[in-house]
């Protein structure tokens, strides 16, 4: 069977008190819709349509940044999940022989195993519909799966349960596989016969079952597939669940945590065994950390490659590469486009931006290295500034291997300090410094004796 | 009826191991006594007397900083809650026709609804005493309310309970309304017939009831009214309860939290919907945050107004105003008296003190702006210092719109840089710079060839 | 009786996914082996032998840094706990008349009271073996103590329990006292008759009991004596338990915490009553904090003495001494070898290294004080640098009492500023400044009118 997915992302999330569509709210820094999309893509379902509705522009904008192609349809009115699927009728009709996985854009924990195995079960059993379910200890509030003789009679909401049905622990995740032909049949039959006057997709199960179609469930062992967020407290809970689950996975892989307070690790982050993560550390985006590196306290590392045996303490680093045996911190900021090579030492109150820093170079304190190409074994004094902006243009600074940049030096770019070049403390360097030369901009030191007595008299 | 309040704040808190009176210990940065006082005031009870005892000077000092008037009486010996009230006999006698709310200064969670509704009930029922109570699942350790035919027989402490009474779940909060005349009658009857030789205020209930006065309870639905702190662990627990409750309230209002570790928000802080608060963030005092602003990680914002669409990362800011669309951080400190206008960008390792920074001005790195008036669209290089102190006086720096301050410039105040004025990197500026002019203090750059070879030979 | 201890530290900890031996994993910053060793030493057992095995070099290296003498034997193959003890047969034989306490190197929570009291009981009862046990509510998974008539029949592992034995709540901690003669007898009898083909030390109990030796248990009221860590999750749990227990102990001593998120306090840290510890604060090593000092947020204090009435906010300080009434922060780093005297004020973005800073000196902002001896009442401007490194040597800076160091001054060491010496802002000071003199290195300020218009034209 050929498979596609339809993701329902039209909802508003009124209780979020925000203009964002609900699936755009973030869990661990990624919209819930991204979680759902990537679960599909990682299960090799790339033919995807997103039903957008409330603030569709926000969904469009998000999808445009993803790189991966994806169709959308617009649900102009929001009349229930069945109506959302009806909006995609044309898209579905173009795939008549396929099966479609319908997913909720605000239930982020659907996983690859669940998708792949439910798809296989759906195919093997030749079902018209296969509902993805979970068996939970506390089913209260969820739609229960009412079965009879291996067939689903229907999905019954809490308030409509008979006493006997209240004991059912198998609940609906909202995700379900349909043969598209059967789905189209069912869509014609769903009626808004309820107090909300909405079209419920769950009605399709009873419709298909009654019409003699084969129906079934796939019981996921990932209970979290049923979880979504309707308000900020629910969203915080999803974040908390995801946070603990990912930390647990890294613990299993041999990563050391001694206190996880404030620690948050994104889904795509890779951490080698023996790494130690201290409290208050956030790792996000496409970050990887090499073995035996210590990260923390209070680091924020986003989209960075960090090598082995490094020690980063109170560092914020973005979109940069950090080699092996690098020590940094405390209180350091590495801005995008930086390459920090192996053995570099960066001390307190240092900012590096869009620069390459060569092997074993030391930038110990209170220094700004921006738009620069710095060689190996360079020593920066304290208070050095690469003057990269003249009010009109940004210019580069080039510093050769083994150079020594004196304290409080201004390197006025574009400028080049040659290999083993020196600059004297307090100099403003406006011309290139040849290899092995010293640049000094300084006048005579004048001593006024008795100054403090005269000052005090005044 | 006219209402006043008597707050018992004479206790020592021996197990706190501190010289502070117990009601002076803080919950979310405010003394417990402040919580009780403001609950009264917010319930329109402004005629208040505080009974002070242990380290009365600390209570006096605190009250003197509050602005709002409040009487005090001194309990010289500490002989129980009844004795504490006796200390205020004169104050009570001046209000013979009123009713008085007696409150514990170390039970901070008394709330406006409880005060207002219990007062109304007390009045409606014409009671001599109305005890504020709560019904709790785990009453062990609290004084139980023993009722008979709608009348309180008495308040019975844990150790004196009969087996039948152990099932009682209605407990005494310590707060109670009295008709002052009835209270004065009861005070005369309370005897220290107990192992501690103390006068217990709770005895007054039995006394009044037996004498035929009408008694009743107001059962608060805020169970926390009964909570107090006797030691540091209890105080931590109160802080934790208050912390979670306030975060929960902001979640309900549409504020986003993805990890609440280390987050602490004061009672008076106002946060607009759509604001995102990251881990380790403390908001205190009279702080307000405008919509869609992101605060964190690790911000500490005290008594500040922060506008909309701002982004503050690792910022500490005190007693200042921050406009809309401001980005700050990481590692920034805004000291009192600063006004940061809309669109300002403040980067890493920047300190602003007692200064105004105009619209869209950029202070990117390693800079100190103190006692300054800075215009719009000004660009600060890295390492700029406003030299505001000459060893004797503090002086102001004035910088005009669109000025460009070169890196490592010293602006020696009092000094003025005009509109579109420039200063060259590394200059110490001791005179005013006219509009559109460049100030440069620099000598010739001298290059010594072969310096590093000679140095190495040595 | 004379007592010695044998600590089993040969295990690998496969599930840690690390090359470290299991007892070398850290709880609150100290290897578990250190916890066990110090518990012995604090119980006045200084004759200790460690059985090392997996990565013995790591154990050796650790022991060599401890200062205290300790024997080791190498267990070349790892064939069970009984085999580990057999490895030490020679060491034991040299102490034939003694008793030995056998301890697991990866069960860190053995405590002095348990060791001392179990030793006394072992002696008083004249037992051949006394097993240290605990009675726990959830014994599942632990070896149960099967007793009969005051005698231990044996220690039975979970899988070998009869139904009747499953109710036993007394479990083996792994720690046990032996008369060495009896132990040597038992070692000869232990056989590897089990599926792992290993020699189990626990078999010795049954062996001795059967042979008529007197056996008994000491039931510790510290249930944590049974806890160890087999994987990273277990290690995190031990850290968490230790973290909470130590914070609880300080709360009992009158230390204030309002939010303990991210707070971690080492075992040896001493904190006076009335100290306030804010979130994100780590205190480690031999640190002590004087009364009424406030530490936090986000401080990291390692091996420092901090005085009374200080306020440290976002400070990292290592191996230094800080006097009374010192305020520091936010964003300060104190590096090893610093002595900060009473009344000093250190502001944002300041680094002090290997320096003495005299009473009431102020270092307000963006300054590096390294390898310096600074007097009393000195005022540092913003951006001051002690230029302590010339590319070859580190040199010292000396600053006299009441000196005033202008902003962005470079003090090129070796250099001395005399008492009440001044340096002008922006000066590079390369010569000593006499008492009361002003040093100024500055050229004429030149103003180019109309500069910005010309620049814009270009």
């Amino acid at each position: 069977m050929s498979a596609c997915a339809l993701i329902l992302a039209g909802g508003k999330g009124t209780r979020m008190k925000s203009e964002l569509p609900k699936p755009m709210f973030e869990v661990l820094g990624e919209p819930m819709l991204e979680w759902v999309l990537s679960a599909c893509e990682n299960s090799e379902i790339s033919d995807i349509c997103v039903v957008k509705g409330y603030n569709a522009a926000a969904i469009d904008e998000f999808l445009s940044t993803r790189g991966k192609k994806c169709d959308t349809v617009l649900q102009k009115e929001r009349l229930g999940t069945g109506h959302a699927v009806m909006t995609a009728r044309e898209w579905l009709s173009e795939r008549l022989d396929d099966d479609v996985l319908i997913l909720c854009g605000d239930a982020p924990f659907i996983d690859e195993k669940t998708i792949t195995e439910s798809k296989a079960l759906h195919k093997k059993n030749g079902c018209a519909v296969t509902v993805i379910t979970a068996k939970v200890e506390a089913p209260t509030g969820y739609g229960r799966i009412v079965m009879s003789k291996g067939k689903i009679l229907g999905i019954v909401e809490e308030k409509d349960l008979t006493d006997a049905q209240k004991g059912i622990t198998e609940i609906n995740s909202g995700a379900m596989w349909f043969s598209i032909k059967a789905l189209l049949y069912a869509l014609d039959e769903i009626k808004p016969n309820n107090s909300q006057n909405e079209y419920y997709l769950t009605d399709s199960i009873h419709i298909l079952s009654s019409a003699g179609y084969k129906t079934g469930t796939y019981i996921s062992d990932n209970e979290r597939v049923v979880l979504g967020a309707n308000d900020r407290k629910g969203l915080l809970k999803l974040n908390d669940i995801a946070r603990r689950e990912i930390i647990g996975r890294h613990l299993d892989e041999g990563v050391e945590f001694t206190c996880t307070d404030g620690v948050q690790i994104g889904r795509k982050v890779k951490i080698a065994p023996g790494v130690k993560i201290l409290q208050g550390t956030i790792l996000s985006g496409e970050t990887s950390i090499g073995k035996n590196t210590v990260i923390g306290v209070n680091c924020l590392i986003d989209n960075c490659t960090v090598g082995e045996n490094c020690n980063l303490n109170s560092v914020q680093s973005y979109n940069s590469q950090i080699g092996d045996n690098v020590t940094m911190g405390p209180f350091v900021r590495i801005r995008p486009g930086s390459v920090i090579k192996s053995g570099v030492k960066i001390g307190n109150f240092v900012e590096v931006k869009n620069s390459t820093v060569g092997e074993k170079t030391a930038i110990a304190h209170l220094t700004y290295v921006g738009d620069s190409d710095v060689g190996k074994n360079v020593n920066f004094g304290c208070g050095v500034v690469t003057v990269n902006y003249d009010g009109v243009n940004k210019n580069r600074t080039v510093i050769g291997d083994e150079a020594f940049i004196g304290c409080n030096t201004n390197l006025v770019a574009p400028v080049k300090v040659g290999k083993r070049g020196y600059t004297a403390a307090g100099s403003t360097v406006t011309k290139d410094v040849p290899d092995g030369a010293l640049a000094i901009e300084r006048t005579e030191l004048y001593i006024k004796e008795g100054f403090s007595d005269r000052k005090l008299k005044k």
Side-chain angles (χ1 to χ4, degrees), chain A residues 294-324:
Chain A
V294 178
I295 305 272
V297 294
N298 295 331
C299 289
L300 203 165
I301 313 290
D302 184 51
N303 285 311
C304 292
T305 306
V306 180
E308 301 179 357
N309 300 307
C310 295
N311 191 312
L312 275 60
N313 170 355
S314 298
V315 171
Q316 295 204 2
S317 180
Y318 303 84
N319 301 292
S320 291
Q321 295 170 46
I322 296 165
D324 297 335

Side-chain angles (χ1 to χ4, degrees), chain A residues 361-379:
Chain A
T361 282
I363 313 175
H365 15 220
L366 291 158
T367 284
Y368 170 51
V369 175
D371 301 321
S372 300
D373 302 296
V374 179
K376 291 185 269 193
N377 292 304
V378 173
N379 189 85

Side-chain angles (χ1 to χ4, degrees), chain A residues 42-64:
Chain A
N42 293 340
S43 310
E44 292 177 4
I45 298 176
S46 56
D47 184 15
I48 302 174
C49 181
V50 172
V51 181
K52 59 197 179 186
Y54 179 73
N55 192 353
I59 301 280
D60 284 336
E61 193 195 331
F62 163 67
L63 292 175
S64 73

Side-chain angles (χ1 to χ4, degrees), chain A residues 137-447:
Chain A
E137 278 184 27
T140 307
Y142 289 96
R144 305 295 207 294
I145 307 296
V146 180
M147 307 282 293
S148 172
K149 300 174 192 167
K151 236 173 99 158
I152 316 182
L153 291 183
I155 297 176
V156 183
E157 296 305 315
E158 186 72 28
K159 67 180 190 313
D160 301 323
L161 290 170
T162 64
D163 279 352
Q165 289 168 342
K166 281 185 180 162
I168 298 172
T169 59
E170 184 174 1
I171 62 174
N172 176 28
S173 73
M176 36 190 89
W177 282 99
F178 283 95
S179 120
I180 289 181
K181 276 180 193 143
L183 174 60
L184 291 173
Y185 164 78
L187 289 180
D188 289 338
E189 304 296 318
I190 299 175
K191 305 293 176 225
N193 297 330
N194 52 58
S195 61
Q196 308 286 318
N197 292 316
E198 290 195 349
Y199 297 84
Y200 294 146
L201 182 63
T202 46
D203 286 354
S204 65
I205 313 298
H206 178 68
I207 290 165
L208 290 173
S209 185
S210 304
Y213 283 88
K214 195 167 179 200
T215 62
T217 68
Y218 167 82
I219 305 171
S220 175
D221 54 12
N222 170 11
E223 285 185 21
R224 298 188 306 268
V225 295
V226 307
L227 299 176
N230 286 318
D231 56 21
R232 302 283 189 174
K233 278 180 179 161
L235 189 67
L236 173 57
K237 204 169 171 181
L238 294 188
N239 272 282
D240 198 50
I241 289 168
R243 196 165 86 80
R244 286 172 198 279
E245 200 258 327
I246 289 177
I247 289 172
R249 206 188 301 156
H250 289 294
L251 281 163
D252 289 341
E253 293 301 319
V255 177
E256 184 164 340
F257 297 80
T258 56
C259 171
T260 61
D261 292 347
V263 174
Q264 203 164 317
I265 298 174
R267 285 195 300 158
K268 297 174 195 157
V269 172
K270 295 193 174 78
I271 310 178
V275 167
K276 191 165 179 174
I277 309 278
L278 303 183
Q279 47 262 66
T281 290
I282 299 177
L283 306 177
S284 57
E286 305 269 0
T287 287
S288 71
I289 312 287
K291 72 176 180 178
N292 298 330
T293 280
V294 178
I295 305 272
V297 294
N298 295 331
C299 289
L300 203 165
I301 313 290
D302 184 51
N303 285 311
C304 292
T305 306
V306 180
E308 301 179 357
N309 300 307
C310 295
N311 191 312
L312 275 60
N313 170 355
S314 298
V315 171
Q316 295 204 2
S317 180
Y318 303 84
N319 301 292
S320 291
Q321 295 170 46
I322 296 165
D324 297 335
N325 305 306
V326 170
T327 62
M328 281 197 198
F331 313 118
V332 165
R333 183 190 191 191
I334 307 296
R335 293 168 61 190
S338 298
V339 179
I340 311 296
K341 301 239 169 128
S342 295
V344 166
K345 285 189 206 301
I346 295 184
N348 34 228
F349 320 123
V350 171
E351 171 189 2
V352 178
K353 186 206 104 184
N354 188 29
S355 297
T356 298
V357 178
E359 282 83 359
K360 297 195 179 172
T361 282
I363 313 175
H365 15 220
L366 291 158
T367 284
Y368 170 51
V369 175
D371 301 321
S372 300
D373 302 296
V374 179
K376 291 185 269 193
N377 292 304
V378 173
N379 189 85
F380 282 81
C382 177
V384 174
V385 176
T386 54
V387 184
N388 59 329
Y389 182 53
D390 61 10
V392 180
N393 297 306
K394 297 261 170 163
N395 300 297
R396 287 195 82 81
T397 298
V398 177
I399 301 175
D401 297 346
E402 294 170 46
F404 182 95
I405 311 299
C407 296
N408 270 328
T409 296
N410 296 302
L411 298 169
V412 183
V415 72
K416 188 177 165 183
V417 177
K419 290 186 185 182
R420 291 181 294 120
Y422 273 65
T423 71
S427 299
T428 294
V429 177
T430 49
K431 288 190 291 201
D432 288 354
V433 182
D435 291 357
L438 167 72
I440 179 165
E441 181 260 312
R442 196 183 292 164
T443 182
E444 200 79 9
L445 181 72
Y446 181 68
I447 303 281

